[in-house]
Amino acid sequence: MAALEKILQQVKEGTLSIEEASLSLRKAPFVDLGYAQVDTQRGQRQGIPEVIYGAGKTAAQIEGIAQVLKKESDSPVLITRLSQEKAEQIQKTLPLHYEATGRIGILGSFPEPTGHGTILILSAGTSDLAVAEEARLTALALGNRVKAIQDVGVAGLHRLLSHLDDLMEASVIIAIAGMEGALASVVGGLVRCPVIAVPTSVGYGANFKGVTALCAMLTSCASGVSVVNIDNGFGAAYQAHLINHVKGTNS
Amino acid sequence: MAALEKILQQVKEGTLSIEEASLSLRKAPFVDLGYAQVDTQRGQRQGIPEVIYGAGKTAAQIEGIAQVLKKESDSPVLITRLSQEKAEQIQKTLPLHYEATGRIGILGSFPEPTGHGTILILSAGTSDLAVAEEARLTALALGNRVKAIQDVGVAGLHRLLSHLDDLMEASVIIAIAGMEGALASVVGGLVRCPVIAVPTSVGYGANFKGVTALCAMLTSCASGVSVVNIDNGFGAAYQAHLINHVKGTNS
Amino acid sequence: MAALEKILQQVKEGTLSIEEASLSLRKAPFVDLGYAQVDTQRGQRQGIPEVIYGAGKTAAQIEGIAQVLKKESDSPVLITRLSQEKAEQIQKTLPLHYEATGRIGILGSFPEPTGHGTILILSAGTSDLAVAEEARLTALALGNRVKAIQDVGVAGLHRLLSHLDDLMEASVIIAIAGMEGALASVVGGLVRCPVIAVPTSVGYGANFKGVTALCAMLTSCASGVSVVNIDNGFGAAYQAHLINHVKGTNS
Amino acid sequence: MAALEKILQQVKEGTLSIEEASLSLRKAPFVDLGYAQVDTQRGQRQGIPEVIYGAGKTAAQIEGIAQVLKKESDSPVLITRLSQEKAEQIQKTLPLHYEATGRIGILGSFPEPTGHGTILILSAGTSDLAVAEEARLTALALGNRVKAIQDVGVAGLHRLLSHLDDLMEASVIIAIAGMEGALASVVGGLVRCPVIAVPTSVGYGANFKGVTALCAMLTSCASGVSVVNIDNGFGAAYQAHLINHVKGTNS
Amino acid sequence: MAALEKILQQVKEGTLSIEEASLSLRKAPFVDLGYAQVDTQRGQRQGIPEVIYGAGKTAAQIEGIAQVLKKESDSPVLITRLSQEKAEQIQKTLPLHYEATGRIGILGSFPEPTGHGTILILSAGTSDLAVAEEARLTALALGNRVKAIQDVGVAGLHRLLSHLDDLMEASVIIAIAGMEGALASVVGGLVRCPVIAVPTSVGYGANFKGVTALCAMLTSCASGVSVVNIDNGFGAAYQAHLINHVKGTNS
Amino acid sequence: MAALEKILQQVKEGTLSIEEASLSLRKAPFVDLGYAQVDTQRGQRQGIPEVIYGAGKTAAQIEGIAQVLKKESDSPVLITRLSQEKAEQIQKTLPLHYEATGRIGILGSFPEPTGHGTILILSAGTSDLAVAEEARLTALALGNRVKAIQDVGVAGLHRLLSHLDDLMEASVIIAIAGMEGALASVVGGLVRCPVIAVPTSVGYGANFKGVTALCAMLTSCASGVSVVNIDNGFGAAYQAHLINHVKGTNS
Amino acid sequence: MAALEKILQQVKEGTLSIEEASLSLRKAPFVDLGYAQVDTQRGQRQGIPEVIYGAGKTAAQIEGIAQVLKKESDSPVLITRLSQEKAEQIQKTLPLHYEATGRIGILGSFPEPTGHGTILILSAGTSDLAVAEEARLTALALGNRVKAIQDVGVAGLHRLLSHLDDLMEASVIIAIAGMEGALASVVGGLVRCPVIAVPTSVGYGANFKGVTALCAMLTSCASGVSVVNIDNGFGAAYQAHLINHVKGTNS
Amino acid sequence: MAALEKILQQVKEGTLSIEEASLSLRKAPFVDLGYAQVDTQRGQRQGIPEVIYGAGKTAAQIEGIAQVLKKESDSPVLITRLSQEKAEQIQKTLPLHYEATGRIGILGSFPEPTGHGTILILSAGTSDLAVAEEARLTALALGNRVKAIQDVGVAGLHRLLSHLDDLMEASVIIAIAGMEGALASVVGGLVRCPVIAVPTSVGYGANFKGVTALCAMLTSCASGVSVVNIDNGFGAAYQAHLINHVKGTNS
């Protein structure tokens, strides 16, 4: 904290009065000190990609932000909710890798996976695939071992149960489902690792664009399930990544 | 239809003019004829209990209606949503049998079970028991073979699956669950008989007094599931009874 | 259950140790045994069509799935929620029969109708026709005798009542209505067979895209009514089909 | 308008300057003039009862207001939403007639009925009786011929249809129903007079305390139906009274 | 009712046995008699236009229905919710008069106005104009004297109050407003004639496409206000027409 | 009030009888007097722009209104919710200045800023910029000193806190945020000036088009926060302007 | 900020190393400095009462907090949402003044009123009185001139308009209304000062415990209206107080 | 799994035929094997308490279940949502330790804390204390190091920021808040560990019994936040416990 120490140095040297120093520190206490403290902690995690939320930004804006980010660090840059059209525009000037299903663009290469174990991504139906891919690519980009299994909705229970080994071995599970979202409850009842549930807007009528699945997951009869926003594959992967990298208090 | 034929007879005999007959028939066409047609059909099913919805009626009112019904037919009388207090009051003058869990009172004895097969009643948690009992007693009173299994929520999938034989053999299944209501989807995916789903108001917060379970059941990813109102154990049993007694078009 | 008996045989013969057998049985108990049991039951119903939910799938995807299904069995293949455009694309390579009003495509021919009796499909207004057609074609494809009557909304009660004979003779009734959905209550009060109510999204303002009709049907003052999701003609027909084919417990 | 004319008189006489008169008129233009205009119109209808909304007021407050009203006019005083307890307290000092079912108290006697014809009040179930009674007594107190028919819900269509004559002869109909509120649609389809629909909070689960009935009535497939708030028997009767007394533009 | 009388005649003449007549009458009692009764009542009001709800129908369908209706009676035909495009198509074969703002087409000419007095149509903002025009043209087509005043929202109270004479003289008032719908309460508090309130979907955010205006109108602090569905100008005019033509019980 | 004084003059002069004057004044008391009173008060604030809500009006309509307004006063004219297309059309005939981000057009130049102090406009994310710009330009056009700071959402608390000086010095703060709307609570807890919170429709899923932010702001744990409608940047600026110009009772 | 200056003093004196001082400042930068800054600003306003939200706290807890607050400053202590029972318990040990209607208790006496002008509190009905009293007492306790007018709902427009002078002279207006909340729109349209609208939970049915009034106020057709939470009389008064004391940026 | 191995042993020994063994295994394949597999995994974690959800169970029922659980294992038994009354009844026969604030009863003593680090429990207001205590005691009972900090709502940001060290050092954070739930967003923006957000039903009006806080937390602008049901302190602690004990895939 150069700035702070400089002030103290000046106080010590007598070149800055206590009143002036006091005023100067008081005026921006949150910022100059607090911000730095936070920032240092954040900055030290090398290799973690920067993330740009692509929806509602123009291709030009995304490109601009991406170039700034690339200049500042060696980390890959992840762009979520990126349409094919914008991706193609960006690809004219930047070496962007684009994954259409997950609507994700990546600048740079995926880091080596770290963390306690494997993140398992389960999705109930083929229509949930976009969200599952967003989660899978995000988890990879953040540096995790990832395994994804599709089409294991509870209406065909045997398909889900045939992957019981994978369920038992996962460190964290992301359970993605639309319609009535029952997958989260069934999985939560089978395993002992944390389950992050992602409701999707797949369905119609009384599904209410994912609200039914959301509420169903929140009221799950199984313990160990927490929930993120509708269609928020990125958020689930980010949370799973934090869990997979959880540290001890003194580590 | 004595009344109709009497009018026609009078017309034939000339004691009633065509104009008078026409007016008389036109005045109450829905009622005197239509009602009879409907009524006959209804009246012919002997032994089917009359049902009194007890909520919002005083003990005296219920007793009055029950006595009228008993006078008119030999059928048992079923009183649903009947509180202990009202039941005890009624028992002072009528030989009422009362089942506290299902909040049901019965005058007379259950009929011999008929119908195609067995109605299986599944309930997810012990808190869903009141609804399950209302369904069980209603189905019995309407003349069905009934089997009830409790506490088979999907968070403990093995408990449900240990009853797979019963599920496979049932003619109709009533699936009762609160919270996220996932039981209906899992059961619907396992069996090939009609499933009547009953959401219950068990739960809190995002359960919204059963609305989440209701919507989840309506958007079930499994086919063959239809739904009745929240906590409506009676309605589910009534529908299951109709299904269990479904007849051919010419029978 | 060959697999299970084979393991036991090997144990008996001493070619498989108890530990290995135990592990093998424990590892996939749900799948290898449970699944088979379910599957056999499902597989034995010949002629029942496979169903593809067409919404959210490309024409190519639908075509691919359809060809796989045709290879595996002689059953017809039913494609629901299929747009005209996709249908025309599929027709270039497959002999698809397409019904535009019900948005349904069929590969193969309808089976001979079986079941207890006739499924009667009532729809309230001409705008409910798409849902009614989805129900009618699904019921036909599943092997049922079907009768459909349109435009019998309760605002013109006499039109509905002029079909009283059909109502009385049906084994199951599907009542389809948007707006306030009163048709289900009126029909439920007239008949003694199970009524499956389908709310439609027809209406505006306080209809809330079918939610009002849905809730009205769930709170129907008539017994014997159960409900499926908004616009879910397929689901209603599937449930009606199961009811029309309901079997005894020992049959 | 004594006040206005007095000012003008003073202006004419020169005892009030134009400036002062202008200021005085400008200061309270809405009130002194506009109010009077409105008030005169209102005041001229003799015999119309004053109405006190009893809910949320103490017995003492109601009594106080009632006594003021009695002093000012000979009209009867109607107190709606009045509990038995408060009624009994008021009866200690005032000759209050109390009707428990409709929760209405009346000071003075009902006026002779006037108006075009008869207001017919239909209620679907016995649980809707409180609202029906509130409507009936209000309509009587406002000076109308009233006929009330109970328990004509659409699940027993024949009961409703047996009163077809009354329906056809009414000048205005108030249709009161809870649950799914289908009564309004069926009645609206049968008659050609205005129908005021009153949803009641009778029901449970997906009835949502009357909201389903409310929305169902608003989206009625029948024309000629308008709606008042849930349980608002008073409001329906008041509107029906206005309709029954509707006047020509120049009358 | 020729059919009924013919049967009775045959009975009288002995050419039809009582049994056959009874069967024939019983088979379709609702229809042939009940419908006729209703129909007669309806049919006798000459000049009342037939109404076609244009939304969700093709131009060809509308044209077909219109031509049938024109053949059957001399009454004008009103087509609501009719788009410019469809109107232009219909105009190729039928002499359709089209009003673009109210989205209404008319075949034939408006009848002479009848009824007790004048229907006054008030609309709060210029954006409510389409609904106001739908109401105005409907009321005219049904045979009423109509006066319409626009842009009298309560935020500019003086504009509304400057029309106090019109308000006082109206027999029925239709109050049309979006946003918070306060117009209905203010008007309801000023007048003594029935007010039909029409919420419109004008507004954004917490207006919820008219639901806020709808609920505000239902909970109006003024008596004498009843409400129709959001944007339902036709329904309000129809109800106002019935009120304007309300008859005595014996008239 | 020329009209009023003229009437009084005529009364004084005897050229108008008291009866005629009384009638004339009574006929339109609200309007001619009340309106004037309001109008005078409004009209005296020179330089305040007239505002046209552009959404739902054609370019021609906007142009017409603008030209009338320009003729009547020297004040600038502000057009909100104005699309680029309409702006370009209007620019063909009028010297319109258009700001695309805030969707605002201005005729004439901004007035000199007045008022107690500075209006500070904080927006949480870059996606809230359109609303922030609408607020900023409105506040400028109404004659206020304005400062705007973007992208100070609470997930990056240090960014917000680095502007603590600006927060402390503002006279009024407009806090604009979508998603969970937490900015209003955090800012409300830091400052002692009035905070006007504007929820935006930025977000997805459980954001419900701004309703979550709206409700969060209304239930803010900080005092001194009041709320306007979703995306209503204009309304917030208008309210902030009134606050910034608040006067004493006798001033 | 004694603590900060003490550290600087020690640095200057050399009794604290720069490293230690830096660490000490960095460890709690937000708190010890930032808080102080805020606190100073807050603390300087003498006489401003401390506020305790009484709901959900026991009488003992409230008493405890109150005694701490009294010890720390001479300011009065305001306790909101305080029940009669708790008030009486507290009065046993503390000289609490209790106002039952507004459910507010006060320790100490009201300060002299300051601020730009008068806060005018309008309430629509007598049932809104509790909220109005909470607002009135809060505004007084915070040091404002306050005027309160009750029972000026828009259904009796003349009552509101008779207070036009008070409306025109107010510096801030608090408009309190339940049911449909139209008061805010009408007042907002009449005045040019900021209006803080408070929806109340008064009403039933479609009022939805104040939500309808809340949404109506948010979508008000009048500018210059902002809204606080349902029944939040305290919040409105607090906001009005801030507005009434708004300062210039450099004052 | 003794049972399975016993069967295999008998098969090997020839005392059980393959047919009998096959039947026996097939009859309950899910249960005896599947359950065991799960159970083994579960059972191996010694000291983990069994949990009884106390709401909706009688004291006698809870006592019964508790005694069964105590017989089967040495683990402590945790009873959540336990009222004081029931606790006192249970204490008559069992050595129950009861914590009134968190409504939790414990049989047996807390295990030694294990896991990666510390679970930090933050609660926004004193009214959120019950939920915070439920979380704290659950986390302790499951074997975690726990630290709890109360009353750190965002309206007093400095209080939260003064605990920045604790926030930075936690392995998992549980953020508990009612009203607008902004705590989760602010904390999520400050830390890099997983945050489990718990909305509480604290608040009124637009808080909608916790729904606003719930939705706000789901739409948090900060990454790394997942959410459990309203007031679900137990569920948050359970999830935090799983995260704190997350294992590697091969560990």
Side-chain angles (χ1 to χ4, degrees), chain F residues 154-155 157 161 179-180 182 185-186 189-190 204-208 212 215-222, chain H residues 154-155 157 161 179-180 182 185-186 189-190 204-208 212 215-222:
Chain F
V154 302
L157 203 52
L161 295 177
M179 305 180 98
E180 89 288 55
S185 295
V186 171
L190 287 171
Y204 61 92
N207 168 279
F208 300 118
T212 290
C215 292
M217 286 166 165
L218 284 164
T219 57
S220 172
C221 53
Chain H
V154 301
L157 203 54
L161 294 176
M179 305 181 96
E180 90 288 54
S185 295
V186 171
L190 288 171
Y204 61 92
N207 169 278
F208 300 117
T212 291
C215 292
M217 286 165 165
L218 283 163
T219 57
S220 173
C221 53

Side-chain angles (χ1 to χ4, degrees), chain H residues 233-245:
Chain H
F234 168 78
Y238 195 95
Q239 176 78 311
H241 158 73
L242 293 184
I243 293 172
N244 192 31
H245 288 80

Side-chain angles (χ1 to χ4, degrees), chain G residues 225-250:
Chain G
V225 177
S226 62
V227 186
V228 297
N229 200 1
I230 296 165
D231 290 335
N232 192 1
F234 168 77
Y238 196 94
Q239 176 77 310
H241 159 73
L242 293 184
I243 293 172
N244 192 31
H245 288 80
V246 76
K247 289 188 181 170
T249 299
N250 303 316

